[in-house]
Amino acid sequence: MSQLEWVWSSRNTLPMTPVNMNKLILTCAGGRMMPLLAKWHKAAAPDSMLIGFDANPDVVSAGVDGFDRVFVVPKAYDPLYVPAVIDLLKEIGVSVLLPGSDEEALVLAKRKKEIESAGGMMAMSDHSSLARVSDKINLARVIEESHGGGARVLRALNADEALQAIQKLGGTDVPMVLKPSRGRGRRGVFIIGTSSMPEHDDLPPVITLQDIPEVYEQAFPPDMVMPFVSGQNITMDVLADHGEVAQLVVRRWLENWRFPFPGQEIISFPQIESLGTKIVNQFKLHGLLDMDFIVSEDGEPTLLEVNPRPSGSVVVALAGGVPLLKQYVNLALGQKSVEFFSPVRPQTLLLQDLEN
């Protein structure tokens, strides 16, 4: 089967010029916020052409509002993924490519030379740096050793190791979190405990110790344990330029769940901005990244993870006055100095503000 048999294009037409540096390819085009992201990016870059890649044929069949064309590709872990991306780039022409999932970011970084040879321009760290910074266990160790403020985590590759790790971290007197060490959103994340937790469809399910063996029988089992950290959820968008920070946007979630979108407040938080800058410097990061923090009641932030791709709610930064996708395109095209934007802070943005 040829790679192009994976491809189904929408009814929309797209001029396939050999070179059009206004083309931006976004993977995971079926994300819930993607139509809003397209709207706000085109407001900042009206001459931009948006192309989507997604592994769900239903998303491609329906199309995505604001996208000029959408293609279906295999999952990132499929051996056919990169060949399919290369074949599409040959059809589409030279374009800037921005991965939307951790798996895609790592695969594309590993085969960056092939992708760029086919016309896919990317601003991405080398694979080794991304692999180290996106591993939550390694990240926690590095932060604690170098800066302080790292999460307490232990590796747990099976149910027995998970039970042992829970005991080492304090037992069930406090809730524990069982999750993958590499980001998969909230897939594969479970809270272990007997105490009551906030109930919401978008929060991880609560399980007991007896449920742990069944969790490890799933297709993508967890591999780490950490104490449940309560507090305020903070997301920070980071545009990194070869180990230096080009743009930061700190966003406080109004509620500690993602959907339905509860709104966010763009704020200033020097301690978080400083730690994020140190991580960018230390790992020599490059590209558009997402850092997630929890801030305790006493105001101390803990960095939970660094995702090697933009946040699913990055549209808030765009609506708040920071054209991060346009900045990323300029970075991917080798612009020597990316213009810095300072958003209004504090600034609260609800779903209705993103839609209007």
Side-chain angles (χ1 to χ4, degrees):
M1 180 176 65
S2 71
Q3 306 304 331
L4 283 178
E5 288 180 12
W6 278 100
V7 179
W8 189 97
S9 59
S10 71
R11 293 188 298 270
N12 297 326
T13 59
L14 173 65
M16 294 299 180
T17 53
V19 178
N20 183 338
M21 301 317 290
N22 292 325
K23 292 179 188 172
L24 174 60
I25 298 173
L26 299 176
T27 72
C28 298
R32 299 190 213 191
M33 305 290 272
M34 276 295 187
L36 293 174
L37 185 65
K39 168 190 169 182
W40 285 98
H41 173 58
K42 287 196 170 183
D47 59 342
S48 179
M49 184 177 294
L50 277 181
I51 303 165
F53 288 176
D54 201 89
N56 186 346
D58 293 336
V59 168
V60 179
S61 298
V64 179
D65 288 347
F67 281 70
D68 297 275
R69 199 168 181 183
V70 185
F71 296 92
V72 67
V73 295
K75 299 274 190 183
Y77 53 77
D78 192 310
L80 293 174
Y81 174 72
V82 171
V85 169
I86 288 174
D87 279 344
L88 283 169
L89 286 168
K90 290 176 180 176
E91 178 184 349
I92 295 168
V94 177
S95 310
V96 173
L97 178 60
L98 177 58
S101 76
D102 291 23
E103 296 99 326
E104 287 173 315
L106 289 166
V107 169
L108 293 174
K110 192 169 188 177
R111 301 180 66 175
K112 185 178 179 182
K113 290 184 179 179
E114 293 174 68
I115 301 297
E116 290 184 337
S117 295
M121 309 299 291
M122 297 183 292
M124 293 188 69
S125 309
D126 63 85
H127 179 266
S128 175
S129 296
L130 282 189
R132 287 186 294 121
V133 79
S134 63
D135 183 323
K136 298 181 185 69
I137 297 175
N138 178 68
L139 178 67
R141 177 186 58 78
V142 169
I143 294 174
E144 194 57 41
E145 291 177 355
S146 304
H147 315 294
R152 297 169 57 217
V153 302
L154 289 175
R155 184 79 68 185
L157 299 177
N158 54 52
D160 288 340
E161 290 184 5
L163 292 170
Q164 294 171 16
I166 289 169
Q167 292 306 313
K168 289 179 181 178
L169 291 170
T172 54
D173 291 340
V174 294
M176 296 285 169
V177 179
L178 192 60
K179 63 192 300 185
S181 59
R182 295 197 184 277
R184 296 183 61 84
R186 295 197 175 182
R187 291 173 290 173
V189 179
F190 300 89
I191 298 174
I192 306 162
T194 55
S195 58
S196 61
M197 300 293 294
E199 292 187 5
H200 190 276
D201 291 344
D202 191 50
L203 295 178
V206 178
I207 64 173
T208 66
L209 294 177
Q210 289 70 34
D211 299 318
I212 291 177
E214 184 178 347
V215 167
Y216 275 90
E217 294 175 1
Q218 297 182 358
F220 297 99
D223 61 359
M224 61 169 275
V225 176
M226 62 178 291
F228 179 84
V229 183
S230 61
Q232 175 65 61
N233 285 4
I234 300 286
T235 292
M236 182 164 69
D237 306 301
V238 180
L239 186 69
D241 185 355
H242 296 97
E244 300 294 332
V245 167
Q247 182 73 59
L248 295 176
V249 183
V250 181
R251 301 184 272 113
R252 180 182 71 86
W253 288 82
L254 300 185
E255 299 289 350
N256 285 354
W257 63 74
R258 300 309 193 245
F259 296 102
F261 180 70
Q264 294 177 347
E265 182 183 25
I266 297 176
I267 61 173
S268 175
F269 203 129
Q271 193 173 351
I272 283 178
E273 294 165 22
S274 175
L275 180 54
T277 299
K278 290 175 182 177
I279 295 299
V280 168
N281 297 159
Q282 183 164 351
F283 287 91
K284 306 300 180 188
L285 298 177
H286 186 57
L288 185 52
L289 311 161
D290 162 40
M291 297 188 184
D292 291 330
F293 297 80
I294 289 286
V295 179
S296 62
E297 290 183 359
D298 60 5
E300 286 299 313
T302 296
L303 176 56
L304 298 180
E305 61 188 31
V306 176
N307 297 304
R309 41 76 185 171
S311 162
S313 56
V314 68
V315 61
V316 174
L318 275 64
V322 182
L324 276 168
L325 297 192
K326 184 177 179 180
Q327 290 173 303
Y328 171 83
V329 169
N330 292 335
L331 189 63
L333 297 179
Q335 183 169 315
K336 292 183 178 180
S337 179
V338 176
E339 182 182 0
F340 180 87
F341 288 81
S342 182
V344 174
R345 296 174 295 190
Q347 179 182 183
T348 300
L349 293 160
L350 304 176
L351 182 59
Q352 64 194 47
D353 300 311
L354 304 181
E355 293 174 337
N356 294 332

